[in-house]
Amino acid sequence: MQAAIRLAFEGMRSGQGGPFGAVIVKNGEIIGQGNNQVALTLDPTAHAEVVAIRDACKYLGHFQLDDCVLYTSCEPCPMCLGAIYWARPKAFYFACTKADAAAIDFDDQFIYDELDLPFAERRIPAYPLLREEGLKAFEEWRGKENKFVY
């Protein structure tokens, strides 16, 4: 956790992004690390956890973090939480809470609130379109013999 917190300071102080850091550990060794790089990369998905997941997966040569543990300087936002679940580490630990983050204007509660609203009533409205045509790709996937299941 100390390494994740150190990365939070380093990234923030160098102007790469907000005060967030994360590391991924396997068998006692850090195999992936990241700090928030949203400002540096102009990429809204470059949160510390996502950067660390990408780094660890590249190191492992795999898209899942089997037998890994993630340490992050702050409770993950909804996007990062989703990425953590898709990467499937065996556990994660966090230092600061989402309430701590909200106190410094990193408040994700609006996203949680949006998920309960009907698509058309969200801040960014969403509308279904061409479902039948989109389902054709799903149908082909269902029958695909040589698919890579994940």
Side-chain angles (χ1 to χ4, degrees):
M1 183 60 79
Q2 291 174 335
I5 294 169
R6 178 182 49 75
L7 287 166
F9 276 107
E10 289 174 7
M12 172 188 60
R13 289 174 177 163
S14 67
Q16 294 181 16
F20 305 98
V23 297
I24 297 171
V25 175
K26 185 170 186 169
N27 299 325
E29 175 189 354
I30 294 175
I31 61 161
Q33 62 182 10
N35 57 275
N36 183 292
Q37 297 179 8
V38 170
L40 174 70
T41 62
L42 304 178
D43 177 355
T45 69
H47 290 198
E49 297 90 339
V50 172
V51 173
I53 289 168
R54 290 173 180 162
D55 190 40
C57 287
K58 183 176 180 182
Y59 174 84
L60 293 172
H62 199 269
F63 55 84
Q64 290 185 337
L65 300 176
D66 296 330
D67 299 316
C68 294
V69 176
L70 184 144
Y71 297 86
T72 180
S73 65
C74 187
E75 184 177 355
C77 75
M79 176 187 68
C80 292
L81 186 60
I84 290 166
Y85 272 83
W86 282 117
R88 297 180 180 102
K90 65 181 179 180
F92 73 91
Y93 296 85
F94 58 92
C96 300
T97 67
K98 62 183 178 181
D100 298 328
I104 60 164
D105 297 323
F106 288 95
D107 190 354
D108 301 320
Q109 186 59 47
F110 77 96
I111 297 173
Y112 294 106
D113 295 341
E114 288 282 299
L115 294 174
D116 290 330
L117 295 174
F119 292 130
E121 294 179 22
R122 295 178 181 179
R123 289 184 193 189
I124 302 174
Y127 306 99
L129 182 65
L130 298 177
R131 180 173 179 258
E132 292 303 316
E133 290 164 34
L135 283 173
K136 291 176 184 173
F138 285 13
E139 292 166 7
E140 185 173 321
W141 174 262
R142 183 180 300 127
K144 188 171 171 50
E145 295 289 327
N146 61 345
K147 61 187 165 193
F148 188 81
V149 180
Y150 53 97

